[in-house]
């Protein structure tokens, strides 16, 4: 009976596939949403293949079996070609894409042939085939007869993993690598700070840090999946994780600040080079060494700098030349965040201020570019200058900076962001437009690659940034003009399953909007993106002045009511999505708990409003409701952290030394997880005191 049903189903599906396989190529996108999008898809005559008819893999020429994911993972090798066989073929055919990562896939008459010039091309061809299989299986349809020609527009496509304020469960790094490989990301820049157990300066690594040997294994795992991991070890600035320690205070440029190293102290380089050596050992297959060097500030403060008579620009570049020399001696290409170059030349604000008019930008460059030109001899030629812009990469000042590098034969790379300093969840449609724009600029300007940063300032869970990373994978492989709504549809389809493609399942944008109210609902001034010097909480109602509080906070009450309605929509969409998703249900569960947490201030505001407007006789009951709600926050927190901590280590070790937090990073506010609820905890404490006083 099972085989009879399968046969009948096959007949039905065959009819279905024929219904759309003969129309325009664009119709494939209705059923198969490949991400990143291949450069060219052509429907061809003949029969396609049912995913369950794939029976074996044939290696042709000198091809090796690449790392494969299910269901290809379980297919045995065969020495025959024909029906049910996936042939992986290395070839020098001149008709193949002129890229080691390129491939041609032909699906016809119940077989698949993937041809490429290099092993990595076969690997990426298999990722596309896996997506076709996934969509065919999820929708019970046949893969049509087609020819796919594919290659990347940008050769180096890296994702940033920032560990400065947290660690994840060990298995999650492997899972992350698998996910990135399947969307054709080929590099990771890992920012260790104190989360690597340095062997030569053991006191810098946190007591729960990852060992060099353990991360070397992670790096090798990534290499097998065509992802190259290179380290980022911060200095000259961003050195608080080092200079906070008593034994290294003598290396500070400013004795009162743990932010920056002295650029002329020999001890600076002895220490930094020892960290570099361990970071290189932890990433044995890496090509680069990212040395940081950004946002230094206050150069020229130390006695050595003052005695030298060197200007800040000279101090910055003196340090850069020394670390670049070290990198090359250790067979690594140095990468340098480039903001200080333009900052010290009086040009930096033109590279990020999107409100600046082009004529003003031109005037500033005309007046100041000579400061760069006159110091061109200080720029190491053996360095990659990473031009970062996370919000508006297309503005004139940013383009001028890129063009200046090219005109002086300096190597530039771009850096965009899937998240910057947003609390809990990325915003602006997962930073869609800047990612798209900078990928296009990178391709057009032929830069040496692009990095998508994922900053840990507010330490969002990595599950919240996957949409931005999928956008990055989409545009860094194929810089086609895909619009936002379609890109988001592609993400839901690919990440959760085809059933979630419809826009009625779009919840992440709504959640982004909801968080805008959550961020400031309980405060008069401030935001959630940085630790405030003092928390400016809203007032609580005065029982002797009925209605006064409600009038004062009328706008917040209206916002709370709107937030609750939005919460209901989001909750319904996520719960429905969980019931029908094919994969990544954990991500949906996390999003659901974010929604449960963000609505807390809105509900609390309405309870306070009810108390404020209640008659004197009813105020005691209303206060009781407020107290019950506040006391239940511990359960809300517990539920959130149970989900959050499935992959994320929430607390730092008891012996962890917090630095001066120069940038007021939210995630560096406390050793435990209190930083995630600073305003809620402060308000709950204020309410407890308010209740006890009555």
């Amino acid at each position: 009976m099972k085989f009879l049903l399968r046969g009948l189903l096959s007949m039905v599906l065959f009819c279905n596939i024929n219904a759309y396989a003969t129309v325009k190529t664009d119709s494939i996108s209705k059923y198969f949403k490949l991400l990143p999008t291949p450069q060219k898809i052509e429907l061809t005559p003949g029969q396609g293949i049912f995913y369950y008819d794939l029976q074996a893999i044939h290696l042709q020429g000198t091809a090796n079996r690449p790392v494969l994911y299910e269901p290809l993972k379980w297919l045995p090798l065969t020495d025959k070609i024909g029906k049910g066989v996936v042939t992986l073929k290395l070839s020098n055919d001149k008709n193949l894409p002129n890229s080691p990562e390129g491939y041609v896939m032909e699906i016809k008459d119940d077989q698949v042939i993937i041809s490429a010039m290099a092993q990595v091309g076969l690997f990426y061809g298999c990722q596309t085939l896996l997506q076709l299989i996934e969509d065919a299986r999820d929708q019970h349809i046949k893969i049509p007869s087609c020819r796919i020609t594919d290659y990347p527009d940008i050769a180096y496509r890296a994702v940033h993993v920032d560990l400065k304020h947290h660690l994840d469960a060990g298995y999650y790094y492997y899972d992350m690598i698998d996910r990135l490989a399947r969307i054709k990301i080929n590099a990771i820049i890992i920012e260790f700070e104190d989360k690597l157990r340095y062997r030569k300066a053991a006191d810098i690594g946190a007591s729960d840090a990852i060992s060099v040997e353990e991360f070397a294994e992670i790096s090798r795992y990534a290499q097998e999946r065509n992802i190259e991991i290179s380290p980022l070890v911060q200095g000259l600035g961003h050195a608080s994780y080092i200079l906070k320690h008593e034994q290294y205070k003598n290396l500070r440029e400013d004795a009162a600040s743990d932010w920056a190293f002295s650029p002329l102290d020999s001890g600076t380089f002895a220490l930094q080079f020892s960290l570099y050596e361990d970071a290189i050992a932890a990433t044995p297959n890496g090509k680069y060494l990212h040395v940081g060097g950004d946002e230094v500030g206050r150069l020229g403060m130390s006695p050595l700098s003052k005695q030298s008579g060197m200007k800040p620009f000279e101090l910055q570049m003196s340090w850069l030349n020394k670390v670049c020399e070290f990198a090359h001696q250790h067979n690594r290409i140095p990468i340098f965040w480039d903001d200080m170059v333009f900052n010290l030349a009086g040009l930096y604000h033109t590279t990020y201020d999107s409100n600046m008019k082009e004529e003003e930008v031109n005037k500033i460059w005309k007046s100041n570019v000579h400061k760069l030109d006159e110091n061109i001899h200080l720029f190491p030629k053996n360095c990659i200058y990473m031009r970062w812009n996370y919000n508006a990469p297309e503005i004139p000042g940013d383009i001028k900076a890129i063009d200046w590098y090219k005109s002086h034969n300096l190597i530039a790379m771009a850096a965009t962001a899937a998240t910057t300093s947003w609390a809990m969840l990325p915003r602006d449609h997962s930073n869609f437009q800047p990612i798209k724009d900078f990928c296009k600029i990178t391709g057009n300007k032929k830069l040496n690659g692009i990095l998508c940063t994922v900053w840990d300032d507010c330490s969002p869970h990595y599950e919240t940034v996957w949409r931005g990373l999928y956008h990055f994978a989409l545009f860094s492989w194929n810089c086609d003009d895909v619009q936002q709504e379609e890109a988001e549809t592609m993400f839901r389809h690919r990440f959760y399953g085809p059933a979630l493609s419809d826009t009625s399942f779009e919840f992440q944008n709504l959640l982004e909007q909801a968080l805008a109210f959550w961020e400031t609902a309980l405060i008069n001034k401030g935001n959630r993106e940085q630790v405030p010097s003092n928390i400016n909480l809203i007032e609580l109602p005065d029982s002797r002045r009925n209605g006064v509080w409600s009038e004062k906070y009328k706008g917040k009450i209206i916002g709370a009511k709107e937030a609750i309605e939005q919460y209901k929509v989001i909750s319904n969409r996520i719960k429905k999505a969980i019931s029908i998703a094919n994969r990544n249900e954990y991500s949906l569960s996390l999003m659901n708990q974010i929604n449960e947490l963000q609505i807390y201030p809105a509900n609390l505001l309405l309870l306070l409003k009810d108390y404020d407007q209640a008659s004197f006789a009813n105020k005691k009951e209303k206060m009781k409701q407020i107290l019950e709600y506040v006391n239940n926050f511990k359960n809300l927190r517990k539920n959130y952290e149970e989900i959050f901590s499935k992959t994320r280590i929430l607390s730092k070790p008891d012996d962890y030394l917090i630095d001066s937090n120069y940038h007021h990073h939210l995630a560096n506010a406390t050793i435990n997880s209190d930083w995630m609820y600073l305003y809620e905890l402060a308000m709950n404490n204020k309410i407890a005191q308010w209740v006890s006083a009555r």
Side-chain angles (χ1 to χ4, degrees), residues 584-633:
N584 292 318
E585 289 183 25
Y586 173 64
S587 179
L588 291 168
S589 297
L590 179 70
M591 295 290 189
N592 186 58
Q593 288 303 320
I594 288 174
N595 192 38
E596 295 297 325
L597 186 62
Q598 66 86 16
I599 201 59
Y600 179 80
N603 285 328
L604 183 57
L605 285 168
L606 294 188
L607 287 171
L608 289 169
K609 184 263 299 182
D610 289 346
Y611 172 86
D612 179 57
Q613 295 178 353
S615 65
F616 183 79
N618 291 329
K619 283 193 182 295
K620 187 174 182 180
E621 178 61 27
K622 295 298 181 182
M623 183 177 286
K624 181 181 177 183
Q625 292 174 8
I626 292 169
L627 191 58
E628 287 177 352
Y629 188 69
V630 167
N631 288 339
N632 192 56
F633 181 76

Side-chain angles (χ1 to χ4, degrees), residues 305-444:
S305 292
K306 290 177 180 177
Q307 292 167 14
S308 74
M310 296 171 68
K311 297 176 181 177
F313 199 110
E314 295 171 313
L315 292 168
Q316 177 86 32
M317 302 309 278
S318 171
W319 171 84
L320 181 60
N321 275 276
K322 288 180 182 178
V323 297
C324 285
E325 182 181 355
F326 171 90
H328 278 273
Q329 288 173 353
H330 290 76
N331 300 312
R332 295 290 174 112
I333 300 170
I335 298 177
F336 165 64
W337 297 123
D338 75 343
D339 56 286
M340 290 303 296
V341 165
F342 300 104
N343 192 346
L344 295 171
L347 293 165
Y348 180 49
H349 55 305
T350 71
T351 67
Y352 69 81
D353 188 352
S354 59
N355 294 317
M356 192 176 291
K357 294 182 179 179
E358 187 169 4
E359 58 187 39
E360 184 180 0
V361 170
N362 292 336
K363 182 179 179 181
I364 293 171
W365 271 79
K366 185 176 181 180
S367 299
N368 290 281
V369 71
H370 70 91
K371 298 174 186 177
L372 295 178
D373 295 338
E374 291 166 2
N375 287 296
I376 190 63
H377 62 285
L378 299 177
F379 286 72
K381 295 284 187 181
N382 58 359
C383 177
I384 290 180
Y385 296 85
M386 187 162 271
R387 174 83 292 274
W388 57 279
N389 187 307
Y390 307 143
N391 301 311
E394 79 290 353
I395 61 174
D398 195 49
I399 301 301
K400 280 184 173 292
I402 293 170
D403 289 342
W404 183 85
Y405 286 131
K406 296 185 75 68
S407 68
H408 289 80
N409 297 314
L410 296 172
I411 305 170
M413 189 180 287
T416 184
T419 188
T420 53
S421 59
W422 291 298
M424 204 182 307
L425 189 78
R427 311 298 157 81
D428 298 335
H429 300 275
S430 300
N431 218 29
F432 172 83
Q433 198 61 47
I435 290 172
K436 177 181 177 180
D437 289 344
F438 222 168
C439 286
K440 184 176 181 180
I441 291 167
T442 299
N444 290 343

Side-chain angles (χ1 to χ4, degrees), residues 14-70:
F14 178 79
C15 294
N16 286 344
I17 200 71
N18 277 348
Y20 66 83
T22 56
V23 297
K24 293 182 179 179
T25 305
D26 290 348
S27 296
I28 293 178
S29 64
K30 180 179 179 181
Y31 301 93
F32 298 93
K33 295 190 181 299
L34 306 179
L35 197 158
T37 310
Q39 299 289 346
K40 188 177 182 181
I41 304 175
E42 304 167 274
L43 285 173
T44 55
Q47 301 303 317
I49 190 169
F50 287 107
Y51 73 90
Y52 48 71
D53 284 336
L54 294 173
Q55 301 297 322
I57 293 174
H58 173 69
L59 302 177
Q60 192 167 326
T62 56
N64 296 317
R65 184 185 180 112
V67 172
L68 297 172
Y69 297 106
E70 295 181 4

Side-chain angles (χ1 to χ4, degrees), residues 400-585:
K400 280 184 173 292
I402 293 170
D403 289 342
W404 183 85
Y405 286 131
K406 296 185 75 68
S407 68
H408 289 80
N409 297 314
L410 296 172
I411 305 170
M413 189 180 287
T416 184
T419 188
T420 53
S421 59
W422 291 298
M424 204 182 307
L425 189 78
R427 311 298 157 81
D428 298 335
H429 300 275
S430 300
N431 218 29
F432 172 83
Q433 198 61 47
I435 290 172
K436 177 181 177 180
D437 289 344
F438 222 168
C439 286
K440 184 176 181 180
I441 291 167
T442 299
N444 290 343
K445 295 286 185 179
K446 301 189 185 310
L447 302 184
N448 272 53
I450 185 166
L451 170 69
C452 187
T453 57
V454 180
W455 292 106
D456 200 34
D457 303 7
C458 294
S459 207
H461 197 291
Y462 221 84
E463 289 299 305
T464 68
V465 303
W466 280 108
R467 186 171 72 169
L469 295 181
Y470 270 58
H471 292 338
F472 175 72
L474 173 66
F475 292 114
S476 61
W477 180 275
N478 184 343
C479 301
D480 204 0
D481 187 24
V482 179
Q483 298 304 301
Q484 176 195 303
E485 186 174 320
E486 175 59 19
E488 291 173 351
T489 295
M490 293 170 70
F491 166 72
R492 292 193 305 276
H493 178 112
R494 193 80 273 135
F495 196 71
Y496 298 119
L500 273 67
S501 291
D502 191 84
T503 54
S504 63
F505 285 100
E506 176 49 63
F507 63 85
Q508 194 161 337
N509 293 334
L510 294 178
L511 197 48
E512 286 184 9
Q513 295 166 18
L515 289 176
F517 179 76
W518 162 82
E519 283 192 327
T520 59
L522 299 177
I523 56 175
N524 294 309
K525 293 180 181 179
N527 57 52
R528 298 260 186 170
E529 296 174 11
Q530 293 182 322
V531 181
S533 54
N534 65 297
I535 300 176
N536 191 343
L537 293 170
I538 61 172
E539 298 173 8
L540 294 175
D542 186 337
S543 60
R544 297 164 298 181
R545 304 174 67 194
N546 260 31
V548 173
W549 183 91
S550 298
E551 183 61 29
K552 180 173 183 177
Y553 294 111
K554 183 178 179 180
K556 287 187 181 291
I557 292 169
I558 293 171
K561 291 177 180 178
E562 292 173 349
I564 288 170
E565 292 306 310
Q566 197 169 33
Y567 157 83
K568 294 175 183 176
V569 174
I570 296 168
S571 180
N572 289 335
R573 289 190 182 188
I574 294 177
K575 288 173 182 175
K576 187 175 180 182
I578 290 173
S579 70
I580 63 174
N582 296 101
R583 44 195 167 270
N584 292 318
E585 289 183 25

